[in-house]
């Protein structure tokens, strides 16, 4: 006897907010009538944390804090014990999307070291101006050996609405060495830990080229980056984990020497 079960949601886009109702039908298909001891549905919402390979063994206390964090746990009975007739049967169900206690329902998100399985914010957009010269670079020991260059620009905002692109402008005012490429690098920073210590891992999730070759000096170059839907989420900070984002403006010279200017971002959904 072959029986198939399918779960179908009424809403096509499958995006739900806290307080809404998760509704759909359980579809049971069988050639013959099926006896059952009841049909229940369970909804779980979890945050899973894990250590990167470079952090394992660094602090043992972390292992107690990386247990899955339960945000939602609900059970409903959709059918009492009985018999399902042969053919196709649809049983409706509804789940209220409510969190446990005082927990916060974060957006579903899949990172490398943080995974969330099931908040609107106000965002103030403030332009950020930048100037890049050999003197402004960080973590460079021999600045005098660098070629002379002057790059100016601005980001329209570093507090960003996740559904809107990161925009701005960049101008190469001068450079002693020919430029090979100008790129935007989006970085995700995942931090997991506890009071005894934290593991912080940065991952490049997108790199786009905004200029190729030795661009004209004094020519405004638009900065435009769409945040990838599957690899970004609103910036999160909790007791045991953080998910943050940064963008790097990368200038690659013809000798393959590169310089980087870093900008922390705060992503919000409005």
């Amino acid at each position: 006897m072959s029986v198939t079960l399918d779960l179908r949601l009424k809403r096509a886009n499958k995006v739900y907010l806290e307080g809404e109702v998760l509704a759909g039908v359980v579809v049971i298909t069988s050639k013959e009538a099926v006896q059952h001891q009841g049909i229940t549905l369970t909804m779980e919402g979890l945050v899973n944390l894990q250590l990167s390979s470079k952090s394992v063994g660094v602090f043992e206390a972390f292992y107690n804090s990386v247990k899955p964090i339960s945000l939602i746990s609900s059970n409903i009975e959709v059918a009492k014990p009985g018999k399902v007739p042969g053919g196709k049967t649809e049983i409706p169900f509804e789940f209220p999307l409510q969190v446990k206690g005082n927990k916060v329902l974060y957006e579903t998100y899949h990172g490398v070291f943080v995974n969330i399985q099931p908040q609107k914010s106000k965002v103030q957009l403030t332009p950020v101006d930048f100037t890049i010269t050999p003197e402004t670079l960080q973590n460079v020991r021999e600045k005098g050996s660098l070629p002379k260059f002057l790059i100016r620009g601005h980001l329209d905002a570093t507090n960003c609405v996740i559904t809107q692109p990161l925009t701005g402008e960049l101008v190469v005012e001068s450079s002693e060495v020919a430029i090979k490429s100008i790129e935007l690098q989006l970085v995700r920073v995942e931090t997991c830990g506890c009071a005894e210590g934290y593991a912080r891992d940065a991952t490049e999730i997108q790199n786009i080229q905004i200029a190729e070759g030795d661009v004209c000096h004094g020519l405004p170059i638009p900065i435009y980056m769409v945040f990838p839907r599957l690899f970004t989420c609103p910036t999160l900070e909790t007791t045991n984990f953080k998910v943050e984002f940064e963008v790097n403006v990368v200038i690659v010279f013809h000798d393959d020497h590169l310089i980087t200017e870093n900008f922390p971002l705060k992503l919000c959904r409005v």
Side-chain angles (χ1 to χ4, degrees):
M1 180 175 62
S2 176
V3 179
T4 60
L5 288 173
D6 191 16
L7 207 61
R8 297 179 185 174
L9 299 178
K10 290 184 178 179
R11 187 181 299 180
N13 63 13
K14 299 181 182 179
V15 176
Y16 293 84
L17 301 176
E18 182 178 350
E20 294 183 339
V21 174
L22 189 70
V25 293
V26 177
V27 182
I28 303 173
T29 306
S30 175
K31 290 183 179 180
E32 303 174 2
V34 178
Q35 193 79 25
H36 64 86
Q37 300 302 311
I39 301 173
T40 62
L41 287 181
T42 300
M43 177 169 61
E44 293 284 347
L46 302 173
V47 177
N48 293 315
L49 308 178
Q50 68 183 59
L51 283 171
S52 65
S53 57
K54 71 179 184 180
S55 301
V56 172
V58 175
F59 38 90
E60 299 299 328
F62 184 82
Y63 289 97
N64 293 325
S65 70
V66 295
K67 295 178 181 178
I69 302 170
S70 179
L71 303 178
I72 297 175
S73 182
S74 300
N75 288 278
I76 59 171
E77 183 182 57
V78 295
K80 295 185 179 298
K83 182 180 290 188
V84 176
K88 180 179 178 180
T89 302
E90 294 187 357
I91 305 174
F93 68 87
E94 289 189 351
F95 261 120
L97 199 57
Q98 300 292 343
V99 298
K100 295 174 61 176
N102 60 352
K103 298 291 181 67
V104 177
L105 184 61
Y106 308 111
E107 290 198 15
T108 300
Y109 168 74
H110 298 275
V112 178
F113 306 104
V114 177
N115 292 315
I116 305 173
Q117 308 279 4
Q119 61 247 84
K120 292 193 176 182
S121 306
K122 292 182 179 179
V123 58
Q124 184 175 359
L125 305 180
T126 304
V128 176
D129 296 322
F130 62 86
T131 300
I132 309 174
T133 67
E135 291 72 30
T136 64
L137 297 179
Q138 304 293 323
N139 301 321
V140 178
R141 292 182 178 179
E142 299 179 1
K143 296 183 179 181
S145 64
L146 295 176
K148 298 294 183 182
F149 57 85
L150 173 58
I151 298 168
R152 301 185 191 276
H154 71 270
L155 298 178
D156 292 328
T158 52
N159 288 345
C160 304
V161 178
I162 196 170
T163 55
Q164 298 176 10
L166 173 72
T167 57
E169 189 176 89
L170 179 146
V171 178
V172 179
E173 300 286 1
S174 62
S175 178
E176 290 182 343
V177 178
I179 291 175
K180 183 178 181 180
S181 178
I182 302 177
E183 301 165 4
L184 291 179
Q185 179 188 51
L186 184 61
V187 176
R188 174 183 57 213
V189 182
E190 296 167 278
T191 304
C192 303
C194 58
E196 286 75 13
Y198 286 85
R200 184 180 187 274
D201 292 274
T203 308
E204 177 188 303
I205 56 175
Q206 181 168 267
N207 190 304
I208 64 172
Q209 186 181 56
I210 61 173
E212 181 179 13
D214 196 18
V215 298
C216 295
H217 295 178
L219 176 69
I221 299 170
I223 293 173
Y224 190 95
M225 174 185 278
V226 175
F227 294 109
R229 184 175 64 87
L230 296 179
F231 300 102
T232 54
C233 69
T235 301
L236 287 175
E237 182 171 356
T238 74
T239 302
N240 293 115
F241 70 91
K242 293 192 295 185
V243 182
E244 301 168 295
F245 297 89
E246 301 173 350
V247 67
N248 292 322
V249 176
V250 182
I251 313 295
V252 184
F253 294 105
H254 261 290
D255 60 2
D256 287 329
H257 187 87
L258 60 86
I259 59 173
T260 302
E261 186 77 1
N262 176 268
F263 301 91
L265 301 178
K266 182 177 181 180
L267 304 188
C268 303
R269 190 180 302 278
V270 296

